[in-house]
């Protein structure tokens, strides 16, 4: 039995398809099939059911799967331990990020590029998703680190470092009726009642703050448009399609969009927060721990 056979077996189970597994492994599909057949002959039992539209593990295969994963994890642990003693970093780090976080405020691309230059043996996977799904992925070990929108305190088992904390504003086109409701300090949340609102989708931190603010004022927000990008929200508001609820914009950016922005008052005043989050017990690999340390320092 060889480790590569276990690696191929795991890949086929996770992809439910020989061709997709081969593409993921950067190998030819016949070679993957041949190695798994050899593994099955050695064990004397079929591990995969190939009779359906997708490949699934047999009862024996399902029982073997956790041991195969543990064997590969043990080998990776041996390599990581040796690398720590020799000062090298290898492995894979998975990072999640809310849309719009990769802005001039954070320069995430530059941070990751600098880390890669210092540690070329580390493979990095970057994905964008909403905050709720990324928190779940973090707890399940599918992500090592994430930048999320934070509506409340992080859930148990998750640590957070807030890297952006700004007021939420209502962004409208010039001449919008909402401007008539403003005073020197902004608008009350009740002024958003029955107005078409433009917001990030459900599951995002900003949407959670908006819904909580409206609920405290006694109404449910009327969401007319949803978009994952704050930039697109501002563009929709500039065309007069509704009131965009977004983190405070610099004056120059608001003028560029052709928008007027009004602070949203409240007790407490709603704020948009982005936080760097990780499992409290720490990322599993030395590479992920090193990247987290770098990000925490850079994003203070």
């Amino acid at each position: 039995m060889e480790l590569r056979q276990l690696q191929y077996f795991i890949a086929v189970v996770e992809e439910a398809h020989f061709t997709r597994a081969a593409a993921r492994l950067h190998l030819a599909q016949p070679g993957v099939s041949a190695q798994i057949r050899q593994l099955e002959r050695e064990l004397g039992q079929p591990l995969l059911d190939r009779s359906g539209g997708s490949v699934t593990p047999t009862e024996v295969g399902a029982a073997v799967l956790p041991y195969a994963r543990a064997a590969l994890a043990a080998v990776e642990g041996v390599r990581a331990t040796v690398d720590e003693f020799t000062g090298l970093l290898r492995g894979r780090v998975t990072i999640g990020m809310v849309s719009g976080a990769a802005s001039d405020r954070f320069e995430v691309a530059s941070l990751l590029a600098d880390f890669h230059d210092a540690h070329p043996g580390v493979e990095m996977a970057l994905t964008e998703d909403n905050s709720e799904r990324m928190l779940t992925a973090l707890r399940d070990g599918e992500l090592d680190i994430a930048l999320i929108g934070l509506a409340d305190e992080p859930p148990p088992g998750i640590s957070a470092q807030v890297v952006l904390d700004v007021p939420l504003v209502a962004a409208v086109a010039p001449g919008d009726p909402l401007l008539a409701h403003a005073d020197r300090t902004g608008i009350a949340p009740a002024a958003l009642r029955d107005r078409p609102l433009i917001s990030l989708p459900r599951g995002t931190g900003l949407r959670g703050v908006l819904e909580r603010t409206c609920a405290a004022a006694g109404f449910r927000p009327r969401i007319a448009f949803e978009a994952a990008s704050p930039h697109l929200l501002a563009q929709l508001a500039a065309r007069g399609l509704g009131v965009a609820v977004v983190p405070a914009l610099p004056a120059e950016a608001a003028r560029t969009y052709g928008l007027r922005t009004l602070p949203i008052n409240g007790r407490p005043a709603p704020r948009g927060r982005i936080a760097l989050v990780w499992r409290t017990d720490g990322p599993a690999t030395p590479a992920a721990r090193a990247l987290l340390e770098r990000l925490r320092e850079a994003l203070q």
Side-chain angles (χ1 to χ4, degrees):
M1 184 185 305
E2 299 180 8
L3 286 172
R4 63 174 177 167
Q5 293 171 334
L6 299 180
Q7 181 186 15
Y8 299 173
F9 167 62
I10 292 169
V12 172
V13 171
E14 291 179 348
E15 298 293 337
H17 199 276
F18 276 95
T19 302
R20 288 197 297 269
R24 167 174 150 183
L25 296 165
H26 306 291
L27 296 170
Q29 185 267 332
V32 173
S33 298
Q35 287 296 322
I36 291 179
R37 280 194 221 99
Q38 183 177 332
L39 177 62
E40 290 175 320
R41 284 195 297 270
E42 183 176 342
L43 294 175
Q45 291 287 341
L47 301 178
L48 298 171
D49 182 352
R50 304 160 172 84
S51 62
S54 62
V55 181
T56 58
T58 62
E59 185 177 357
V60 174
V64 166
L65 184 61
Y67 293 101
R69 286 178 167 145
L72 293 184
V75 171
E76 183 59 34
V78 170
R79 290 185 179 133
T81 300
V82 173
D83 287 346
E84 282 191 274
F85 278 95
T86 57
L88 298 174
L89 282 180
R90 294 191 182 91
R92 176 182 170 89
V93 183
T94 54
I95 310 151
M97 188 168 60
V98 290
S99 180
S103 66
D104 293 340
R105 300 182 193 231
F106 299 119
E107 297 185 356
V108 173
S110 295
L111 292 174
L112 297 182
D114 290 344
F115 185 84
H116 183 265
D117 289 343
H119 307 289
V122 176
E123 177 187 354
M124 288 184 282
L126 181 64
T127 184
E128 285 190 328
D129 207 338
N130 75 37
S131 299
E132 285 185 2
R133 284 196 292 265
M134 285 194 291
L135 281 172
T136 299
L138 201 63
R139 287 193 296 264
D140 293 344
E142 297 169 8
L143 287 177
D144 295 306
I145 307 165
L147 272 170
I148 69 166
L150 199 61
D152 299 295
E153 293 302 312
I158 300 295
S159 294
Q161 175 179 317
V162 175
V163 298
L164 179 68
D165 187 347
V166 296
L168 290 190
V169 299
V172 296
D176 188 279
L178 193 63
L179 295 170
H181 294 274
D183 57 24
R184 289 187 305 169
T185 63
I187 58 167
L192 300 176
R193 187 192 301 267
D194 299 327
R195 288 302 312 274
L197 302 181
I198 304 170
S199 171
L200 294 180
R202 287 182 182 273
T204 58
L206 189 149
R207 178 65 169 267
V209 173
L210 171 62
E211 291 179 344
R212 188 174 59 195
T213 299
C214 294
F219 68 98
R220 295 181 61 183
R222 175 188 160 201
I223 305 299
F225 290 91
E226 291 182 344
S229 165
H231 171 72
L232 182 54
L233 300 184
Q235 288 182 317
L236 293 170
R239 294 298 301 268
L241 295 174
V243 180
V245 179
V246 293
L249 298 169
E252 184 177 346
R255 285 194 297 270
T256 299
Y257 286 117
L259 290 171
R260 297 279 302 278
T261 60
L262 301 167
I264 303 173
N265 301 322
R267 294 185 180 180
R271 302 186 69 84
R273 296 191 296 163
I274 290 179
L276 185 70
V277 292
W278 63 93
R279 288 185 300 280
T280 301
D281 57 4
T285 66
R289 291 195 292 272
L291 179 57
L292 174 61
E293 183 179 350
R294 178 74 62 88
L295 290 173
R296 291 193 67 186
E297 180 180 352
L299 297 176
Q300 283 184 351

